[in-house]
Amino acid sequence: MRLSRYYLPILKENPKEAEIVSHRLMLRTGMIRQQSQGIYSWLPLGKRVLDKVNRIIREEQDRSGAIELLMPTLQSAELWQESGRYDAYGKEMLRIKDRQDRPMLYGPTNEEMITDIFRSTVKSYKSLPLNLYHIQLKFRDEIRPRFGTMRSREFLMKDAYSFDLTREGAEHSYNKMFTAYLRTFARMGLRAIPMRADTGPIGGNLSHEFIILADTGESEVFCHRDFVNFDIPAEDTDFDDVGGLKKIFDQWTSVYAATSEMHDEAAFDAIPEGERLSARGIEVGHIFYFGTKYSEAMGAKVQGPDGKEHIVHMGSYGIGPTRLVPAIIEASHDENGIIWPASVAPFDVVVINMKAGDEACDKACEEIYAALTRAGKDVLYDDTDDRAGQKFATADLIGVPTQIIVGPRSIAQGEVEVKDRKTGARDTMTVEAAINRVNG
Ligand code: P5A
């Protein structure tokens, strides 16, 4: 991508409305734009990051055996009257009427709709276990939308829904998502701690929130400091291995970790004083086992091996991609801007032409740009005629992991500088070596 032809509306000044660093940086780098309170557009730079986050989520959901579909944002009120949540959901639900005066709503979640799909299409236990997910916009009319897309009214959610014949089967489905979540967040460079959590309006009694420790987080959490030492499940984890996944679950849940609603003072006090951690955190995922709450109310049942009808056991599993992006920034930035983990960076590398118009600089930049693009890298080429100092500031601000700096003096020697955004380390090398470094 040539910066001269790209759309990157960088702000020079710090936006006044932004209270936390991720919100400030997302606005300054032109990743997002507020359209009305708690409702955002994702501009091209932000969209690139969001797509990479979603890709990791998809890969890990698919690996665990979940299957993707797409449900609509607008739902009919009837479904929610069946489950009893139409009235219970209160003011957070945005209610709409269509031209025939039929009550509709902008979905805050999809338990009812997926249960409706299930009951009208699945008849036998032989189709189970089944886990269906989508990545779709949701709307919750939050009292206090704030911190940009961290807590917005319209937001993206990956929501998965599992169906099993028995409670034991449903527990394995829960462990599959638990394991997939540990991998998903780790791949984004995050350490998300699973904590016992309250189930709120979703219901049920088994639930974990995945929380990233951060001072600006909205959740108050209590945990054992040992979470840094735990293993992340491997890519080749066998998701059909019931005992293996139970072991992963047991390891992670053997150490005390709870949100404030589920906090057990006595259990926390039992931890030696120097090992206790009471902190703040950002909830990036939340999983629930709620058994037959919706399947019972809405008549979702299958014929079992015994020939009788069985109400299915369900769980639901959410991740907030539009919250994850600012959470990653909260966890990874410095005074100059964002430091993207490679897996979610909007570009892999930025090529900075310090003197656009200079024949040797232009030629070297074009060569590097073409070679890296051919190799499948996402390359941003700063070919604008801005001052070099401004180009460096922009590159640091938008946080691309590697910068290749091409200037007239060094290119006369056939050399360029390669800078690592995270460490700040700079190395001088030949054009070929720079290309190999990024491809390596
Ligand atoms: C689980 C999937 C549910 O809604 N039903 C389907 C269950 N869970 S949840 O905890 O309420 O939401 C899941 C995740 O969505 C993100 N999220 C938000 N992100 C941005 N702004 C919001 N206002 C918002 N509300 C929820 C969170 O990441 C949450 O864990």
Side-chain angles (χ1 to χ4, degrees):
M1 183 62 64
R2 284 169 203 276
L3 186 54
S4 62
R5 294 185 203 162
Y6 196 49
Y7 174 71
L8 188 68
I10 299 243
L11 299 182
K12 295 248 157 39
E13 304 292 321
N14 268 331
K16 279 196 258 347
E17 72 267 33
E19 297 168 63
I20 61 170
V21 67
S22 57
H23 188 195
R24 191 158 67 234
L25 287 169
M26 287 176 80
L27 291 172
R28 279 208 59 200
T29 55
M31 291 177 65
I32 54 168
R33 183 170 190 283
Q34 183 173 318
Q35 300 302 145
S36 50
Q37 197 195 26
I39 301 179
Y40 289 84
S41 289
W42 284 74
L43 305 182
L45 190 76
K47 174 69 163 51
R48 276 180 171 264
V49 178
L50 190 57
D51 283 350
K52 291 206 174 170
V53 163
N54 285 337
R55 189 200 297 172
I56 293 174
I57 293 172
R58 267 198 186 93
E59 281 174 9
E60 296 302 331
Q61 290 292 296
D62 294 350
R63 210 193 295 284
S64 79
I67 307 167
E68 186 170 6
L69 47 49
L70 182 62
M71 291 178 270
T73 53
L74 294 185
Q75 308 189 16
S76 115
E78 266 170 47
L79 274 180
W80 288 68
Q81 281 153 352
E82 274 191 65
S83 73
R85 282 207 294 182
Y86 188 62
D87 295 322
Y89 221 93
K91 285 196 169 235
E92 276 205 4
M93 181 184 274
L94 180 64
R95 297 155 206 260
I96 309 162
K97 280 203 173 140
D98 70 8
R99 68 197 293 164
Q100 270 103 29
D101 236 21
R102 277 188 296 244
M104 312 277 294
L105 56 101
Y106 192 137
T109 176
N110 286 57
E111 278 81 6
E112 283 78 359
M113 188 173 279
I114 200 80
T115 306
D116 177 56
I117 291 174
F118 182 92
R119 71 178 168 188
S120 57
T121 51
V122 180
K123 304 292 171 205
S124 159
Y125 76 96
K126 289 179 190 160
S127 304
L128 303 184
L130 183 65
N131 188 325
L132 298 170
Y133 78 96
H134 70 163
I135 300 180
Q136 175 62 292
L137 291 167
K138 306 283 183 287
F139 194 93
R140 291 181 186 173
D141 207 347
E142 303 265 356
I143 311 182
R144 227 148 87 83
R146 57 180 187 155
F147 302 159
T149 64
M150 188 81 87
R151 177 174 295 282
S152 50
R153 295 199 297 165
E154 190 187 54
F155 59 95
L156 208 53
M157 193 195 289
K158 183 289 297 179
D159 36 329
Y161 303 87
S162 67
F163 300 89
D164 282 274
L165 183 64
T166 62
R167 186 186 163 111
E168 294 71 47
E171 275 169 10
H172 179 52
S173 293
Y174 189 90
N175 291 346
K176 282 189 197 174
M177 284 292 119
F178 188 93
T179 303
Y181 276 32
L182 290 173
R183 284 190 46 76
T184 301
F185 300 126
R187 283 186 62 190
M188 297 171 192
L190 297 171
R191 184 155 285 265
I193 305 174
M195 305 211 179
R196 280 306 299 256
D198 189 25
T199 56
I202 306 291
N205 48 25
L206 172 61
S207 169
H208 286 86
E209 281 180 20
F210 286 75
I211 295 204
I212 290 159
L213 299 181
D215 293 339
T216 48
E218 295 189 283
S219 314
E220 204 187 348
V221 296
F222 301 87
C223 66
H224 194 283
R225 60 153 196 219
D226 261 9
F227 275 97
V228 279
N229 303 325
F230 282 178
D231 298 334
I232 298 297
E235 184 177 322
D236 64 358
T237 297
D238 177 0
F239 280 87
D240 292 326
D241 177 2
V242 175
L245 294 202
K246 171 103 172 47
K247 222 189 233 166
I248 293 170
F249 177 83
D250 286 346
Q251 186 203 16
W252 280 86
T253 53
S254 63
V255 176
Y256 186 82
T259 57
S260 55
E261 298 86 14
M262 299 298 281
H263 183 44
D264 174 347
E265 201 73 58
F268 190 63
D269 286 349
I271 302 170
E273 198 169 338
E275 297 171 25
R276 289 178 215 153
L277 193 65
S278 88
R280 302 195 72 81
I282 302 166
E283 176 206 324
V284 289
H286 198 163
I287 60 177
F288 303 81
Y289 166 72
F290 43 72
T292 57
K293 173 173 170 179
Y294 301 91
S295 45
E296 178 103 59
M298 298 180 65
K301 39 191 187 258
V302 293
Q303 191 175 52
D306 54 5
K308 296 194 183 117
E309 284 195 325
H310 296 256
I311 302 280
V312 294
H313 287 252
M314 294 175 60
S316 73
Y317 315 89
I319 293 182
T322 48
R323 174 177 291 179
L324 263 170
V325 174
I328 293 167
I329 298 174
E330 289 293 323
S332 185
H333 65 270
D334 64 13
E335 64 282 4
N336 297 322
I338 303 170
I339 302 174
W340 291 115
S343 59
V344 298
F347 294 97
D348 300 313
V349 53
V350 52
V351 180
I352 302 175
N353 189 340
M354 283 175 68
K355 200 168 180 203
D358 175 277
E359 203 177 316
C361 285
D362 290 356
K363 186 163 165 286
C365 285
E366 292 291 344
E367 183 189 333
I368 297 167
Y369 179 50
L372 291 175
T373 304
R374 241 189 342 263
K377 298 291 169 194
D378 288 329
V379 191
L380 180 65
Y381 171 24
D382 190 343
D383 59 341
T384 63
D385 45 24
D386 291 341
R387 285 178 300 104
Q390 178 160 357
K391 293 188 180 192
F392 298 149
T394 298
D396 280 355
L397 182 68
I398 66 173
V400 176
T402 306
Q403 304 171 10
I404 299 181
I405 302 160
V406 182
R409 218 169 309 151
S410 45
I411 205 64
Q413 256 69 58
E415 288 180 333
V416 297
E417 209 176 23
V418 178
K419 178 179 158 186
D420 183 277
R421 172 66 181 89
K422 188 170 178 184
T423 62
R426 297 155 173 272
D427 294 304
T428 302
M429 61 187 79
T430 63
V431 168
E432 195 191 345
I435 292 169
N436 289 339
R437 162 87 78 97
V438 176
N439 279 337

